[in-house]
Amino acid sequence: MHYHKKPDWLIKESRSTDEKHFINRRKILAGMGIATGLAALGGPAFSLPSQSPFSPRPGLNGNYANAGRAVTAESINSTYNNFYEFGSSKNIHQEAQALQSDPWTVTIDGMVDTPFQISVDDLISRIGVEERIYRHRCVEAWSMVVPWVGFPLAKLVEMAKPLSRAKYVQFQTFNNPEVASEQRASWYPWPYTEGLTMAEATNELSLMVVGAYGKVLHKQFGAPMRLHTPWKYGFKSIKSIDRITFTDRQPVGFWEGLQKKEYGFWANVNPAVDHRRWTQATERPLSGGDRIPTQLYNGYGDQVAGMYSGMADEIGDAFWR
Ligand code: MTE
């Protein structure tokens, strides 16, 4: 995102799966009853979008079987990523392969019944996974459509047994400057953090993502587990999470800490509120073609608008006006 001299989301436009990890975690995913679906997904990414609300693929959530647009080719969005830990260009997919994402332990702490640590593999085994095709809208005004594999964040919240005092959930990415070169840059407030209200975290759309395109998550997508909140600008969808903390204080996100007027807490997609330096009325699909109109809440208003109805402005997102 635009900050200081180095990071520059707007101007710079700039794959690979570790087969061993793919096979290991795939075994677990296979145990979740979507093995056939995953096998079927081995074909070309372009064959994924289903025009029918019913999918033949086991594991595909019928409510999210069709994003209304073609799925973006895996080859495109696995080579165009925002993962600042590995650099400020979009071309970080090779450097990101240095991340050791298996095994991976997540700490659940803060205002919970009993803090604990759990591996991503255990989370997958205990909760199970499903596939959902979601639209993703970056605050930089590009967009993609991805077939994620994951589980509702609400299930993890339930497992964590938060205390009634907990009002927010804070997420944190790993911090390892030896592996992630940009984490040696002192102008950033590492580690990357993000946060949601409890209502947002338990909204049915909030997904903990452990796979995409029927495969274990590519490292550049935020392996082994990242968040996706499709009604919010993409910077809320934090990657490679290693800590989830329940708190009564509104968390300050990584970009919010750098530039609150441009990257605030709510960050709900809203075509009527421009970024201070560019329009949010339209977006550029990574798959190519003309720019398309951006939709309020990225088109997910039915599921999320109710959470913001009592707020001061129409969507509770006036931070950059
Ligand atoms: N999470 C971490 N840890 N570091 C990041 O730089 N970038 C965010 C989000 N999550 C980011 C992150 C931004 S700005 C976007 S748009 C999405 O990841 C991009 O996800 P993608 O690379 O899978 O498209």
Side-chain angles (χ1 to χ4, degrees):
M1 319 245 269
H2 248 1
Y3 194 74
H4 292 285
K5 299 191 293 287
K6 300 263 177 177
D8 192 334
W9 276 26
L10 185 62
I11 292 168
K12 283 190 192 146
E13 302 252 321
S14 31
R15 151 186 142 144
S16 115
T17 302
D18 180 328
E19 286 301 327
K20 181 166 69 67
H21 298 158
F22 171 84
I23 289 160
N24 286 348
R25 200 153 284 155
R26 183 169 174 155
K27 267 192 206 157
I28 294 173
L29 293 170
M32 303 317 305
I34 61 166
T36 319
L38 288 173
L41 290 174
F46 282 123
S47 68
L48 283 171
S50 162
Q51 296 311 312
S52 144
F54 307 102
S55 167
R57 295 204 299 279
L60 179 62
N61 182 322
N63 293 328
Y64 304 104
N66 184 346
R69 293 179 214 153
V71 165
T72 309
E74 182 182 7
S75 59
I76 295 177
N77 64 27
S78 61
T79 51
Y80 187 97
N81 301 99
N82 275 331
F83 203 166
Y84 272 71
E85 286 82 344
F86 295 101
S88 55
S89 82
K90 307 296 184 221
N91 184 20
I92 54 79
H93 58 283
Q94 277 162 330
E95 189 173 342
Q97 303 316 309
L99 182 64
Q100 294 302 313
S101 56
D102 190 9
W104 187 278
T105 302
V106 183
T107 299
I108 317 271
D109 64 4
M111 294 178 171
V112 292
D113 193 22
T114 311
F116 61 97
Q117 295 191 316
I118 187 165
S119 71
V120 168
D121 289 350
D122 281 349
L123 278 171
I124 292 170
S125 309
R126 286 173 61 177
I127 299 177
V129 291
E130 61 185 50
E131 186 184 32
R132 299 184 183 190
I133 302 177
Y134 273 177
R135 297 181 292 275
H136 174 101
R137 170 60 158 83
C138 179
V139 72
E140 299 167 318
W142 54 264
S143 62
M144 60 183 182
V145 177
V146 190
W148 297 121
V149 175
F151 54 83
L153 172 57
K155 300 265 189 198
L156 191 153
V157 170
E158 190 185 328
M159 181 188 282
K161 299 197 181 74
L163 305 180
S164 57
R165 304 201 305 277
K167 302 284 181 263
Y168 300 90
V169 189
Q170 176 170 313
F171 305 86
Q172 182 182 291
T173 297
F174 71 88
N175 191 8
N176 186 349
E178 279 174 30
V179 168
S181 61
E182 200 77 354
Q183 289 191 322
R184 292 172 220 148
S186 57
W187 53 84
Y188 287 120
W190 305 114
Y192 198 104
T193 53
E194 259 307 336
L196 297 173
T197 64
M198 288 292 278
E200 291 173 331
T202 52
N203 184 276
E204 66 162 286
L205 281 180
S206 293
L207 194 67
M208 293 306 275
V209 173
V210 296
Y213 297 93
K215 300 172 185 168
V216 169
L217 204 60
H218 290 322
K219 294 183 180 179
Q220 60 269 37
F221 285 157
M225 186 171 79
R226 57 96 55 92
L227 175 68
H228 195 231
T229 48
W231 74 99
K232 291 180 176 288
Y233 290 119
F235 65 88
K236 298 292 290 185
S237 293
I238 180 172
K239 298 180 168 184
S240 303
I241 296 166
D242 72 358
R243 182 178 290 267
I244 299 175
T245 305
F246 291 80
T247 170
D248 57 359
R249 296 199 176 170
Q250 185 171 302
V252 177
F254 177 81
W255 292 111
E256 184 184 4
L258 286 165
Q259 188 49 276
K260 185 177 170 57
K261 289 200 167 131
E262 299 187 352
Y263 313 107
F265 175 78
W266 298 102
N268 294 315
V269 175
N270 186 350
V273 180
D274 286 340
H275 187 276
R276 290 204 303 178
R277 287 171 287 123
W278 59 86
T279 179
Q280 295 291 24
T282 59
E283 63 200 54
R284 177 178 64 85
L286 284 190
S287 49
D290 294 338
R291 292 180 75 89
I292 57 174
T294 288
Q295 298 172 270
L296 182 61
Y297 300 115
N298 201 20
Y300 293 101
D302 285 353
Q303 293 95 327
V304 301
M307 291 191 289
Y308 310 106
S309 57
M311 300 185 78
D313 64 280
E314 69 275 22
I315 64 158
D317 206 0
F319 55 85
W320 53 49
R321 288 185 211 208

